[in-house]
Amino acid sequence: MRLVLIGPPGAGKGTQAKRLSQSFSVPHLSTGDLLREAVSKKTPLGKKAEPYISKGELVPDNIVLDIVEEKIRGSESGFILDGFPRNIEQARELDLCLERDGRKLDAVINIDIKEDTVVERLKNRLVCPKCGAILSVKDVSSTWICPRCKAKLKKRADDTEETIKNRIKVYMDYTLPLLDYYRKKGILIDIIGEGSPDEVFDRIVKSL
Ligand code: ADP
Ligand code: ZN
């Protein structure tokens, strides 16, 4: 199975990608997670990417392609891509990379959601540095303890009001055109992203 998840920041791509990855036993590839890991380990790549991430700008294509391509090529069972591709150039590169091995995407899932919902979710988002769980301040006690592994939850560094605004703008300018790109290929599936993670997951599974 080779899937791409597209949607604005806060649409629930990460949450749904994790569930799909478990249900279908294919790896979850999140460029955001891979880049954040590189930043926290202070690798050369992480040092280059950090200033872009903290402003909510796209990290240059060559950096992202470097980390994604080898992972994609190495995965026989396929992948659930989350956060990649994010512009037309990356989509073309992905197509080329797959074509070289005689493969192609099965579907691209567009998680559609209102801007108000996005801002609300991102402002309240908490992540678990230990197990990777994604939660909301509304769902945990004021002590911010992960319900799964008891680690202290954190806010993501780029979930600030100003950076959120810029990430939404970057999404509109660079990522939205991908919907037409994939619609023309006949592989785009639109999913309503409002509601609980369970509801959205059900919609995705039924659509596949
Ligand atoms: P979100 O979708 O919530 O904005 P991500 O974790 O997918 O979060 O991405 C966080 C940041 O990482 C982005 O704002 C961007 O700076 C960088 N990034 C992630 N994926 C890509 C990509 N495919 N191309 C360029 N930059 C990326
Ligand atoms: Zn946890």
Side-chain angles (χ1 to χ4, degrees), residues 120-178:
E120 182 68 14
R121 283 189 189 174
L122 294 180
K123 277 199 209 155
N124 290 317
R125 173 160 68 181
L126 293 175
V127 292
C128 176
K130 199 166 157 201
C131 76
I134 306 167
L135 296 136
S136 165
V137 288
K138 293 177 177 170
D139 303 329
V140 297
S141 70
S142 54
T143 47
W144 289 10
I145 298 299
C146 176
R148 281 191 219 156
C149 75
K150 310 291 175 219
K152 176 88 180 166
L153 299 165
K154 279 193 188 166
K155 282 207 157 265
R156 236 171 71 174
D158 60 347
D159 281 346
T160 62
E161 197 147 348
E162 205 182 309
T163 306
I164 291 170
K165 266 195 216 139
N166 197 40
R167 280 154 61 204
I168 295 171
K169 185 178 184 308
V170 167
Y171 174 77
M172 305 274 194
D173 291 349
Y174 296 100
T175 313
L176 265 187
L178 287 184

Side-chain angles (χ1 to χ4, degrees), residues 3-7 20 107-111 188-189 191 204 207-208:
L3 285 187
V4 167
L5 297 188
I6 294 188
L20 288 163
V108 175
I109 294 171
N110 171 35
I111 307 185
L188 191 77
I189 300 173
I191 295 287
I204 295 176
S207 77
L208 285 172

Side-chain angles (χ1 to χ4, degrees), residues 57-141:
E57 299 290 334
L58 292 184
V59 172
D61 289 344
N62 59 337
I63 299 182
V64 176
L65 289 166
D66 262 4
I67 57 171
V68 174
E69 287 206 7
E70 59 160 296
K71 301 249 178 206
I72 288 174
R73 307 198 77 181
S75 178
E76 284 293 318
S77 61
F79 46 74
I80 316 276
L81 276 174
D82 154 18
F84 179 90
R86 240 179 168 91
N87 60 28
I88 294 282
E89 291 71 31
Q90 293 180 6
R92 293 212 178 98
E93 283 298 327
L94 174 61
D95 283 345
L96 287 174
C97 173
L98 292 172
E99 271 165 29
R100 263 182 250 136
D101 299 331
R103 304 191 285 180
K104 60 184 174 56
L105 292 174
D106 297 313
V108 175
I109 294 171
N110 171 35
I111 307 185
D112 199 15
I113 191 164
K114 292 195 291 267
E115 189 168 329
D116 291 354
T117 315
V118 161
V119 175
E120 182 68 14
R121 283 189 189 174
L122 294 180
K123 277 199 209 155
N124 290 317
R125 173 160 68 181
L126 293 175
V127 292
C128 176
K130 199 166 157 201
C131 76
I134 306 167
L135 296 136
S136 165
V137 288
K138 293 177 177 170
D139 303 329
V140 297
S141 70

